[in-house]
Amino acid sequence: MVDQPHATGRCLCGAVRFSVGGPLREIVACHCKQCRNQTGSFVMASAASVDDVTIQGEQDITWYCASEDAERGFCSKCGSLMFWRRFDSPYISLMAGSFDEPSVLRTAGHIFCADKGDYYEIDQAVRQFAQGDKGELAIWIEPGVQ
């Protein structure tokens, strides 16, 4: 891990905070029904290696087993969705709205567009995938690169 965090973030009330000392994936928007049910809209998240993420306030995180494969972490005090992680992955997703600004991140694309809500449109200028992207949107930003 680098000495200075590449990015930091927090929940709404500040009880849960994180810092990332390594590369971050560009933002991926997920429009699956599960993400929409959890948040009331689609989810936008970056990702980082679990080894590069330091979390403060872990005692205030509630992990919800969202499927056989993954779980979602949210602040038990204010309800902010903060994390998503697949059980067998060395990466953790970090919700885009929780990053402190400037985040230096950009949206790489949208996944599960076939499941999107009928009440919004997706910018046609950004890559879209009907289902998952099979790793095509894994665009990583190195620490210190603006």
Side-chain angles (χ1 to χ4, degrees):
M1 184 185 288
V2 294
D3 291 337
Q4 293 294 316
H6 174 47
T8 58
R10 62 191 283 283
C11 66
L12 180 62
C13 73
V16 178
R17 297 175 182 271
F18 65 84
S19 61
V20 183
L24 285 163
R25 186 196 67 210
E26 286 283 29
I27 302 297
V28 172
C30 181
H31 299 267
C32 78
K33 181 70 170 149
Q34 193 177 83
C35 282
R36 291 188 299 113
N37 281 149
Q38 174 84 43
T39 66
S41 188
F42 58 93
V43 164
M44 297 187 80
S46 180
S49 168
V50 171
D51 294 337
D52 290 337
V53 177
T54 301
I55 298 173
Q56 295 175 317
E58 286 189 69
Q59 70 278 3
D60 292 315
I61 299 173
T62 297
W63 289 97
Y64 173 69
C65 186
S67 69
E68 296 175 359
D69 303 320
E71 60 187 352
R72 298 166 187 265
F74 60 93
C75 174
S76 60
K77 291 186 176 185
C78 67
S80 297
L81 177 62
M82 302 283 298
F83 310 105
W84 181 91
R85 64 183 178 194
R86 187 175 300 280
F87 294 125
D88 61 352
S89 176
Y91 299 100
I92 187 169
S93 292
L94 308 158
M95 298 303 116
S98 64
F99 280 96
D100 296 326
E101 295 179 358
S103 71
V104 308
L105 297 169
R106 301 292 174 258
T107 303
H110 297 260
I111 59 174
F112 294 97
C113 295
D115 298 340
K116 84 167 207 54
D118 61 357
Y119 49 91
Y120 62 91
E121 297 300 320
I122 299 173
D123 181 356
Q124 296 297 314
V126 182
R127 292 181 71 188
Q128 297 181 32
F129 296 84
Q131 298 301 314
D133 69 326
K134 296 183 171 71
E136 290 186 48
L137 297 177
I139 302 166
W140 294 87
I141 304 299
E142 293 293 331
V145 175
Q146 298 274 336

